[in-house]
C-alpha cells in the first residue's frame, strides 16, 4: 500500500521544494540564467540516472524508443518554470499561486480526461470539481 503512495509523496515533496526555491530566486537574476543552471543540473542528474538504469542496454536504442512527447515536454517545462518565476517576481504569494494554478489545472485536466480520454466521472468527482471551482472563487475574492 505504501508503495502506491511513494510516487505521490515524491511529487509533493519535490513540489514544495520547487516552490520554495522558485520564490527564493533573486528578483534581479536573469530568469533564463536561473533556468539554464537548473536544467544543467537536472540534465547531469538524469544522465547519471539514465546510465544506472540502462546497464548493459544500448543507449542509442533507449533514445529511439522516445516519441514527440519528450521534445514538447521540454517546452512545457520551460513555460511552467518561467511562469512561476515571473508570478513570484510580480508579487504572487507562495500560499496562493500554486494552489490557484493547481486547482485550475486539475479542473482542466478533469475535463480533458472526460472529453478526450473518455474517462468516466462519478458523483464524488463532480462534487470535487464543483468544490474546486468554489475554492477558486474564494481564493480570488478580495
Amino acid at each position: 500500500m505504501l508503495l502506491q503512495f511513494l510516487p505521490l509523496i515524491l511529487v509533493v515533496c519535490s513540489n514544495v521544494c520547487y516552490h520554495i526555491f522558485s520564490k527564493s530566486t533573486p528578483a534581479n537574476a536573469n530568469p533564463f540564467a536561473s533556468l539554464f543552471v537548473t536544467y544543467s543540473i537536472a540534465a547531469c542528474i538524469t544522465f547519471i540516472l539514465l546510465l544506472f538504469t540502462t546497464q548493459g542496454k544500448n543507449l542509442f536504442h533507449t533514445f529511439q524508443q522516445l516519441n514527440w512527447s519528450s521534445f514538447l515536454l521540454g517546452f512545457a517545462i520551460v513555460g511552467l518554470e518561467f511562469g512561476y518565476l515571473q508570478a513570484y517576481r510580480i508579487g504572487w504569494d507562495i500560499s496562493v499561486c500554486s494552489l490557484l494554478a493547481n486547482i485550475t489545472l486539475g479542473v482542466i485536466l478533469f475535463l480533458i480526461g472526460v472529453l478526450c480520454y473518455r474517462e468516466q466521472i462519478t458523483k464524488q468527482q463532480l462534487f470535487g470539481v464543483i468544490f474546486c471551482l468554489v475554492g477558486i472563487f474564494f481564493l480570488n475574492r478580495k
Side-chain angles (χ1 to χ4, degrees):
M1 176 89 157
L2 178 64
L3 287 177
Q4 182 179 358
F5 289 100
L6 282 178
L8 184 61
I9 292 168
L10 177 62
V11 167
V12 170
C13 291
S14 296
N15 236 319
V16 167
C17 291
Y18 166 85
H19 286 281
I20 291 170
F21 302 155
S22 291
K23 181 86 170 158
S24 301
T25 301
N28 61 344
N30 184 309
F32 297 108
S34 172
L35 292 176
F36 180 78
V37 170
T38 299
Y39 290 122
S40 296
I41 291 170
C44 290
I45 292 169
T46 54
F47 185 71
I48 290 167
L49 292 172
L50 174 66
L51 293 176
F52 277 113
T53 58
T54 56
Q55 294 174 346
K57 295 179 185 172
N58 183 337
L59 280 180
F60 184 72
H61 177 68
T62 300
F63 284 106
Q64 281 184 318
Q65 294 174 321
L66 300 176
N67 69 0
W68 56 268
S69 64
S70 297
F71 298 99
L72 292 183
L73 185 58
F75 286 98
I77 290 172
V78 171
L80 175 71
E81 303 270 5
F82 182 69
Y84 273 120
L85 280 174
Q86 292 304 103
Y88 290 137
R89 284 182 176 192
I90 63 171
W92 276 88
D93 292 334
I94 197 169
S95 61
V96 176
C97 182
S98 178
L99 184 60
L100 185 58
N102 282 302
I103 290 170
T104 305
L105 172 67
V107 171
I108 291 169
L109 289 177
F110 177 82
L111 294 172
I112 289 172
V114 170
L115 297 174
C116 298
Y117 294 98
R118 306 282 188 237
E119 295 174 0
Q120 300 299 312
I121 59 171
T122 64
K123 280 192 268 185
Q124 291 93 336
Q125 290 170 327
L126 194 55
F127 283 125
V129 169
I130 291 168
F131 284 128
C132 285
L133 294 172
V134 170
I136 289 173
F137 170 77
F138 282 112
L139 280 172
N140 286 309
R141 195 165 179 211
K142 302 229 177 198

